[in-house]
Amino acid sequence: MKTMETTEILELLDANEDLYIIDVREEDEVAQGMIPGAQHIALGTIQDRLNELDASKPYILVCKAGARSANACAFLEDRGFNVTNLEGGMLAYDGELEFK
């Protein structure tokens, strides 16, 4: 499984790269702020929402600490998706936040 450090995602965000970020945390966690531009798909709903994802796009998955997003990465990787897990999750991320 591919992984990425939070410094790498911050550099990509600063460079205005087109990123496809999926936040797999629960609703109450997401309310505390998300990485700008991230799409919220709670881990327990990924299987039901596969039709919303494009297998041709590279996704970065994030959760609170990295374990749930690693599980989501494994699930999606098994289905042919190009995914990267954000190491340390939101606990390690110290960039800008977006509130939805």
Side-chain angles (χ1 to χ4, degrees), residues 24-36:
V24 299
R25 296 176 298 158
E26 296 299 320
E27 201 70 47
D28 59 324
E29 295 172 294
V30 168
Q32 297 169 23
M34 294 172 59
I35 295 173

Side-chain angles (χ1 to χ4, degrees), residues 48-62:
D48 296 333
R49 295 180 63 186
L50 276 177
N51 62 325
E52 296 175 37
L53 304 178
D54 182 345
S56 70
K57 294 180 180 173
Y59 290 99
I60 300 168
L61 277 71
V62 62

